[in-house]
Amino acid sequence: MTFKSIHKQVKGTRSFFALLLVLSLTLGLLAGCAPKAETPEAAPAPAPAEPAAIETPIKVAALKGPTGMGLVYLMGGPDEARPYEFSLFGAPDELVGKIVSGEVDMAAVPTNLAASLYKKTEGGVRYIATNTLGVNYVLTTDPSIDSFEALRGKTIGISGLGTTAEFIFRHLLTENGIDPEKDVTLDFSLQHADLASMLTAGKVDIAVLPQPFVTTSMMANENIKIAIDLTAAWAEVEGKDAVLPTGGMIVRTDYLEAHPEAVQRFLTDYAASVEQVNADPKAASLLVEQFGILPKAAIAEKAIPMSNIVFINAEDSKTFLMSFFEIMMAYDPKTIGGAMPDDALFAPADLSTVK
């Protein structure tokens, strides 16, 4: 084969490979221009339901103490501002005029006051939640006092003449074989703060006090001890599953009927607040001090676990609360407004059905 023929063949081969390269590039460009097959996309997750908007803040009245402590995450906190306006009061009597006049939409009150207001307003308020169980304890500096029998012949300081505190203590004395009129002397001369101070100073030997005065007294005097937990004593007398409902939340009926979604939003937020308070008393105690419910976070942190702060909706509260009212009715009808309330006192679980 001559050099000339070899050169001709190579030249032909180069032309052939060049042609192949051109065809490959052309096909690649055509493939790039061709429409791509669409990859199906996952359907977007449904947006979570938005809580009911509250255009005008709900006006809520609360008491300084356990009922107020359960509400702190509605008053404010690290996450978001809440659509509520709070007023704090030192005594239940201060709330009555506010709720009756319509100055507040909701109020945290003793359970017997809820029944009394329902009667007084002819159904003008409804019960929407239980927020506090028993908060009262028998305190003493006498190490020999450890039972109801040990109270026989003693003078006992107690505040709240005519309130649930008096009723509960008298009932428990009687059920434990102690006549409140003959076997003990009940001294109602001092209010909670003064009674706690006298106990701390050693000028009173035995006192019935609620939280947070239990905690403040024990922190101030290491010789003070809890002799009787009245909540535990109630369960022993009324049955292990018995509930001692001392505090609850009421709403004006006209407000509930006009704004059921807002009330439902409040209850949802309230339940979450109570859960947070009980889960982390230390964090909650800072808010308790910040909002003026108690003067010191250190007191709140120790008081919260002993305050029986709960959230139980009205529907689930009905059975145990009516049983409680029956006992109070037998003790003194005036404590619940003179008559047993009917079932309409309790707001239904589905507030959209309120009439």
Side-chain angles (χ1 to χ4, degrees):
M1 184 179 290
T2 66
F3 175 81
K4 190 174 184 178
S5 63
I6 294 172
H7 177 72
K8 184 177 180 180
Q9 186 175 346
V10 171
K11 186 177 180 182
T13 304
R14 285 177 179 172
S15 299
F16 175 73
F17 280 111
L19 179 61
L20 286 178
L21 178 61
V22 170
L23 287 173
S24 297
L25 290 172
T26 303
L27 289 173
L29 290 171
L30 290 173
C33 296
K36 294 183 179 179
E38 294 186 3
T39 303
E41 296 182 1
E50 291 292 328
I54 302 177
E55 296 180 2
T56 303
I58 301 175
K59 296 177 181 178
V60 185
L63 294 169
K64 294 180 179 180
T67 56
M69 291 192 289
L71 289 158
V72 290
Y73 285 100
L74 277 71
M75 297 178 186
D79 297 324
E80 62 176 301
R82 301 293 189 181
Y84 311 112
E85 291 180 1
F86 280 87
S87 302
L88 290 173
F89 298 90
D93 293 347
E94 300 175 47
L95 297 178
V96 175
K98 302 290 183 183
I99 195 77
V100 171
S101 67
E103 291 181 60
V104 298
D105 305 312
M106 300 178 184
V109 299
T111 49
N112 70 309
L113 183 56
S116 295
L117 283 173
Y118 178 74
K119 179 71 172 177
K120 180 178 181 178
T121 60
E122 298 181 343
V125 300
R126 305 287 290 277
Y127 192 87
I128 52 175
T130 298
N131 56 31
T132 317
L133 304 182
V135 295
N136 289 284
Y137 298 79
V138 177
L139 300 181
T140 185
T141 53
D142 184 347
S144 69
I145 304 296
D146 58 2
S147 66
F148 283 98
E149 184 58 35
L151 297 176
R152 191 182 297 274
K154 305 293 186 180
T155 296
I156 305 161
I158 179 171
S159 299
L161 183 64
T163 66
T164 53
E166 180 198 2
F167 150 70
I168 290 167
F169 190 54
R170 284 184 179 273
H171 180 71
L172 290 173
L173 285 170
T174 301
E175 292 298 314
N176 281 276
I178 306 296
D179 187 331
E181 303 298 331
K182 299 177 180 178
D183 297 332
V184 295
T185 300
L186 300 181
D187 182 356
F188 290 93
S189 63
L190 299 174
Q191 295 303 308
H192 290 140
D194 295 329
L195 180 57
S197 295
M198 294 292 278
L199 178 68
T200 299
K203 297 179 180 179
V204 169
D205 295 326
I206 307 169
V208 177
L209 284 168
Q211 285 291 3
F213 297 100
V214 173
T215 296
T216 57
S217 298
M218 295 177 71
M219 289 175 69
N221 185 339
E222 62 181 11
N223 294 319
I224 295 174
K225 68 164 189 171
I226 294 175
I228 305 172
D229 176 347
L230 297 189
T231 303
W234 186 270
E236 290 178 7
V237 167
E238 300 299 328
K240 67 177 183 178
D241 296 325
V243 174
L244 181 54
T246 57
M249 183 67 65
I250 58 174
V251 61
R252 288 189 294 107
T253 301
D254 57 356
Y255 185 88
L256 175 60
E257 292 175 346
H259 307 285
E261 298 88 357
V263 177
Q264 187 62 66
R265 162 73 185 273
F266 169 83
L267 292 176
T268 300
D269 287 347
Y270 193 7
S273 179
V274 168
E275 184 176 1
Q276 278 187 279
V277 168
N278 286 324
D280 191 348
K282 184 175 181 65
S285 70
L286 301 176
L287 295 177
V288 170
E289 179 179 336
Q290 177 184 333
F291 295 116
I293 298 168
L294 292 181
K296 297 293 182 182
I299 297 171
E301 184 180 353
K302 290 182 178 294
I304 287 170
M306 299 173 63
S307 294
N308 292 313
I309 299 167
V310 298
F311 177 88
I312 306 172
N313 69 34
E315 190 74 25
D316 293 337
S317 299
K318 185 186 301 183
T319 298
F320 64 71
L321 202 53
M322 290 297 272
S323 296
F324 184 66
F325 289 155
E326 286 174 0
I327 297 172
M328 294 194 74
M329 182 73 180
Y331 166 71
D332 185 352
K334 293 193 297 294
T335 59
I336 58 169
M340 284 288 292
D342 55 39
D343 285 353
L345 165 64
F346 302 94
D350 181 2
L351 295 183
S352 65
T353 64
V354 171
K355 296 179 180 180

